[in-house]
Amino acid sequence: MTFTIVAFMGLYMLAAYLLVNQGLRFVHNLPLLGPMLTERMLYLLFFFFFLMLVISNSAITGISLFRRQETGWHLSLPMPHSSIVLWRTVEGLLLSSWGLLLLSAPILAAFGNVLEASPSFYVLSLLAVVALISVASNMSSWLLLLVVRCYRPWWLKVAVVLGVAVVIGISWQIRGQQTAQLISGDVAANVNQLLQHTKVCTHPLLPSSWVAEVVISSGRGLPGRSWFYLLTLMSYALVVWLLTRWLAGRFFYDTWNMAMARMEGRQLTKGQQVFGKRSRRGLRMFLLGLRRQTQALVMKDVRIFLREPMQWGQCALIFGLLLVYTSNLRHLSYNYKDAIWSSITSYLNLTVCCLAMSTLSTRFVFPQFSMEGQRLWILGLAPFPLTKVLSQKLWLNVCVVTPVTALLVIISSMSLKLSFERSSFFVIAIIMQTIGLNALALSLGALLPNFRETNSAKIVSGFGGTLCLVLSFFYIVLSVGILVVPAVHRHAAVAKGVNVPEFGALDFGALSVLFILTVLSGGMPYFFALQRTKRLANLGNP
């Protein structure tokens, strides 16, 4: 398994380098626009990398500081309180930074190859990325201390209302927006029109902009400019640790004490209930017809999920971005009458939804069995088999996620103006892929559990989570490759003047092969997980 993961990482970096190299070379060689578009792509890349680092570090550090009992024990030790925050910040940095380095390495190598940069380019770029990681991790700790200290219960309701209002506003704006028309012959106006929405990513006060300046300047052979931005970035990367230490020593203990008091008060006033009697009664009515033990397991999992804002917050963020993305597909500047481009976009959209689903299943479904922790023996003593816990988690995840992914595919199909037959084809495909990804993640989580760790982010960052992500990626590649065969055959037949139906025998065959692949990829690991759970082998793990 270690060889599989190492081989996959090497294969990914090679494939990413080759693809990004070809794409950057194509964009860079565009007349007049190439250099400007290439630079703006780098600004966008590091801007979103910076946001990803802040969010991921906030989730990991927040769980480590305010959701674990070890923090209370550490506070009783004869050491400064700031040391605890600094160590948790370093821990979150290490857990979240390796992915960024893995993602950015082939991109930077390809950019250096396109510009024919000197060896110093790679050294300066690496130092700039490391400094960005340091700044982002410390900023996430500041943001975490601020939010936890100033949090009020009514914030959640306001955030939900604002989130719904923002989604409705964006959807309405997208609906009423027309595709921008380019001005013929005016290159400057066209470039400004295309890039006006990305100006925020080039703000000079953003650390991500400094990284982009280092990469661009060193790639173009401007050592003075690149060293200026690099030293500026490194000075901030060192100063933020001092500021984190000062903020932690001044505010951390009071903030932690306030958070624990609010949590204790909430448990006393609500009897450890996450939602009221009406919500609980409504959920039980929804689960009417199920056995009492199944209802109890579902209620337990729902409560655990709702008690962790880091979990449902990340899910809402990812699905919200996907909703905006799928609604905006209709405004892409391509000819809808061209069946080839419409087909390519629809399959790429299916791939995006599957990749997002694999990320969520690895992040949240894989650690579910391990999160039962050392209290798993309690479920083992309950009057129902332990395999019931595994099956209940599977169908609960599938029932919750499948309607959302199917809705995203339906919206994207409407945006792309696909026929009913093609839309049904993609909906059936995403349903099977959702089931396969959830079954694979849950089964690997039961086969490779980690009952010692209570932080789900650390469980995912281990060997089992990495293996789950690798196998999910291979499953997506194989499934999309199978589904694209009928489209290739259809376009080849149309080019020869042969009429082919929207949904024929080849499409049905592709879905049948996908069903077999789903059974093999998700069903076989699930069978072995059931056998392991049936023997209560997990109870013997320390």
Side-chain angles (χ1 to χ4, degrees):
M1 290 188 293
T2 304
F3 173 77
T4 302
I5 294 176
V6 174
F8 172 79
M9 290 183 177
L11 180 64
Y12 159 76
M13 297 188 71
L14 177 61
Y17 170 77
L18 295 176
L19 291 175
V20 174
N21 182 57
Q22 292 296 324
L24 283 178
R25 192 173 296 277
F26 172 78
V27 173
H28 189 70
N29 292 332
L30 290 175
L32 301 178
L33 303 179
M36 183 179 299
L37 291 177
T38 304
E39 293 181 3
R40 189 59 58 90
M41 288 170 62
L42 284 174
Y43 278 101
L44 283 169
L45 175 71
F46 289 110
F47 176 76
F48 286 108
F49 276 169
F50 179 69
L51 292 182
M52 289 168 54
L53 283 172
V54 172
I55 294 174
S56 61
N57 277 281
S58 297
I60 296 174
T61 308
I63 294 175
S64 300
L65 286 177
F66 298 101
R67 293 286 181 176
R68 300 185 67 178
Q69 295 181 352
E70 288 91 344
T71 303
W73 303 337
H74 292 160
L75 288 173
S76 63
L77 297 176
M79 63 180 181
H81 296 161
S82 59
S83 301
I84 302 174
V85 179
L86 288 174
W87 168 245
R88 295 304 184 187
T89 303
V90 173
E91 189 178 39
L93 182 150
L94 296 176
L95 288 174
S96 62
S97 61
W98 68 270
L100 176 62
L101 293 176
L102 185 66
L103 288 173
S104 59
I107 299 176
L108 293 176
F111 185 77
N113 184 39
V114 169
L115 296 181
E116 298 180 355
S118 61
S120 61
F121 162 82
Y122 302 98
V123 178
L124 297 179
S125 300
L126 178 61
L127 293 176
V129 172
V130 172
L132 179 68
I133 293 172
S134 174
V135 173
S137 61
N138 283 272
M139 289 185 65
S140 65
S141 298
W142 306 345
L143 180 64
L144 184 65
L145 290 174
L146 177 64
V147 171
V148 175
R149 186 178 183 85
C150 302
Y151 172 77
R152 297 296 181 269
W154 55 268
W155 283 19
L156 184 58
K157 298 178 181 179
V158 174
V160 171
V161 174
L162 290 178
V164 173
V166 168
V167 171
I168 295 175
I170 292 176
S171 302
W172 183 261
Q173 183 182 5
I174 290 174
R175 182 181 179 182
Q177 186 181 4
Q178 300 295 328
T179 304
Q181 300 295 328
L182 298 181
I183 304 173
S184 177
D186 194 344
V187 178
N190 290 337
V191 172
N192 182 64
Q193 186 175 357
L194 289 172
L195 301 181
Q196 61 180 346
H197 299 295
T198 63
K199 290 182 179 179
V200 65
C201 304
T202 63
H203 197 280
L205 295 181
L206 289 174
S208 58
S209 299
W210 305 341
V211 180
E213 287 288 349
V214 172
V215 174
I216 294 171
S217 301
S218 58
R220 298 192 182 281
L222 302 174
R225 185 179 180 86
S226 59
W227 275 105
F228 169 76
Y229 281 102
L230 177 61
L231 293 177
T232 302
L233 189 60
M234 293 184 66
S235 63
Y236 276 88
L238 295 175
V239 169
V240 290
W241 292 101
L242 299 177
L243 185 57
T244 301
R245 181 173 182 175
W246 179 79
L247 290 173
R250 187 176 180 85
F251 300 108
F252 171 64
Y253 181 76
D254 294 337
T255 303
W256 177 84
N257 197 19
M258 292 171 57
M260 294 300 104
R262 285 198 297 261
M263 186 181 302
E264 186 68 22
R266 192 185 307 120
Q267 292 177 355
L268 292 176
T269 55
K270 297 185 178 181
Q272 298 183 354
Q273 296 177 6
V274 180
F275 35 79
K277 294 181 179 179
R278 293 182 180 179
S279 301
R280 188 172 70 255
R281 190 182 301 114
L283 181 58
R284 286 180 176 174
M285 290 296 294
F286 178 76
L287 300 174
L288 191 64
L290 299 178
R291 303 177 64 180
R292 292 187 59 185
Q293 56 265 36
T294 304
Q295 293 184 15
L297 290 174
V298 172
M299 296 287 288
K300 176 183 71 68
D301 287 342
V302 172
R303 285 182 175 130
I304 292 175
F305 182 77
L306 293 179
R307 284 170 181 165
E308 293 292 342
M310 296 296 180
Q311 294 193 21
W312 55 260
Q314 293 181 49
C315 291
L317 177 63
I318 293 177
F319 282 122
L321 292 175
L322 285 176
L323 177 61
V324 175
Y325 152 74
T326 53
S327 302
N328 199 33
L329 283 175
R330 70 179 68 189
H331 300 288
L332 293 176
S333 298
Y334 67 87
N335 189 0
Y336 282 103
K337 297 181 180 179
D338 192 343
I340 295 180
W341 281 110
S342 179
S343 180
I344 291 175
T345 307
S346 61
Y347 280 98
L348 289 177
N349 172 69
L350 178 66
T351 305
V352 168
C353 292
C354 291
L355 290 174
M357 186 65 246
S358 68
T359 302
L360 289 175
S361 61
T362 303
R363 175 63 180 84
F364 300 110
V365 179
F366 174 81
Q368 282 185 0
F369 198 81
S370 298
M371 289 300 291
E372 298 295 344
Q374 299 179 2
R375 298 178 298 274
L376 184 64
W377 63 272
I378 300 177
L379 294 177
L381 296 177
F384 54 84
L386 195 58
T387 54
K388 189 72 174 180
V389 178
L390 196 65
S391 60
Q392 173 267 327
K393 291 181 182 296
L394 176 61
W395 70 256
L396 178 61
N397 288 308
V398 170
C399 291
V400 171
V401 178
T402 301
V404 180
T405 55
L407 178 63
L408 291 174
V409 172
I410 292 173
I411 294 175
S412 62
S413 299
M414 295 173 61
S415 300
L416 295 173
K417 301 180 181 180
L418 299 180
S419 62
F420 176 77
E421 291 81 2
R422 299 307 303 162
S423 301
S424 302
F425 175 81
F426 287 114
V427 169
I428 296 173
I430 194 63
I431 290 175
M432 287 193 289
Q433 289 171 316
T434 301
I435 296 173
L437 290 171
N438 280 277
L440 178 62
L442 183 63
S443 303
L444 289 177
L447 292 172
L448 300 170
N450 182 5
F451 296 125
R452 294 185 176 182
E453 185 56 58
T454 58
N455 190 339
S456 59
K458 293 182 180 179
I459 296 174
V460 175
S461 301
F463 178 81
T466 307
L467 181 63
C468 178
L469 189 63
V470 170
L471 294 181
S472 299
F473 177 80
F474 280 121
Y475 170 74
I476 293 172
V477 171
L478 291 176
S479 60
V480 174
I482 292 170
L483 295 174
V484 81
V485 172
V488 175
H489 180 267
R490 183 179 297 105
H491 291 304
V494 170
K496 297 179 181 179
V498 180
N499 291 326
V500 180
E502 291 289 337
F503 188 86
L506 198 56
D507 298 276
F508 180 78
L511 291 177
S512 301
V513 176
L514 177 60
F515 176 78
I516 297 174
L517 178 63
T518 302
V519 172
L520 294 176
S521 301
M524 289 183 62
Y526 182 68
F527 172 78
F528 289 117
L530 283 178
Q531 297 301 316
R532 178 183 176 86
T533 308
K534 185 182 299 183
R535 296 192 305 268
L536 302 181
N538 285 317
L539 296 181
N541 288 339

